[in-house]
Amino acid sequence: QVQPVESGGGLVQAGDSLRLSCAASGRTFSSYYVGWFRQAPGKEREFVAAISWGSTHYADSVKGRFTISRDSAKNAVYLQMNSLKPEDTAVYYCAATLNWMAITVWGEYDYWGQGTQVTVSS
């Protein structure tokens, strides 16, 4: 099985950029679709972005600001976040799934990282 490990979170100001990384330990990401989700205090976990090998999909709230990418050679997936807003503040999770048809549904993901905190101050 694959174990995602996130890094790159931190405290930034509104308008700043941040890049999150998700490395795979155990097996590689090569067989999996990889997604990013986030969860703010008191809110449900929500879909942010996902990537296959030729397609990407974004939540409307981040479209045009966030970019997901994957580097097969490094066995990693990245989330470049630009023009950050205070409402982007959350714990960000990386997850892996074999089911592209349910890419936005967190319950369809089999493997999860521990999360990394992103805080955007106004």
Side-chain angles (χ1 to χ4, degrees), residues 25-75:
S25 65
R27 297 183 65 179
T28 71
F29 278 141
S30 60
S31 300
Y32 296 91
Y33 307 108
V34 179
W36 285 94
F37 287 76
R38 66 186 181 186
Q39 188 165 20
K43 295 187 177 181
E44 293 188 354
R45 191 168 299 190
E46 65 173 357
F47 171 77
V48 176
I51 189 167
S52 62
W53 296 271
S55 300
T56 56
H57 184 65
Y58 297 93
D60 288 343
S61 59
V62 306
K63 203 172 292 184
R65 298 188 299 123
F66 291 12
T67 302
I68 188 171
S69 61
R70 69 192 300 163
D71 186 332
S72 297
K74 295 184 177 180
N75 200 22

Side-chain angles (χ1 to χ4, degrees), residues 31-33 53 96-101 103 108-111:
S31 300
Y32 296 91
Y33 307 108
W53 296 271
T97 181
L98 296 173
N99 187 2
W100 181 253
M101 296 304 293
I103 205 70
E108 292 293 326
Y109 285 74
D110 301 302
Y111 305 105

Side-chain angles (χ1 to χ4, degrees), residues 3-4 6 37 45 93-96 106-107 109-114:
Q3 180 58 53
E6 305 95 336
F37 287 76
R45 191 168 299 190
Y93 297 91
C94 176
W106 69 265
Y109 285 74
D110 301 302
Y111 305 105
W112 289 85
Q114 80 289 350

Side-chain angles (χ1 to χ4, degrees), residues 73-91:
K74 295 184 177 180
N75 200 22
V77 173
Y78 306 99
L79 185 68
Q80 177 67 42
M81 305 185 295
N82 299 329
S83 302
L84 282 162
K85 304 175 181 180
E87 51 263 44
D88 293 319
T89 295
V91 177

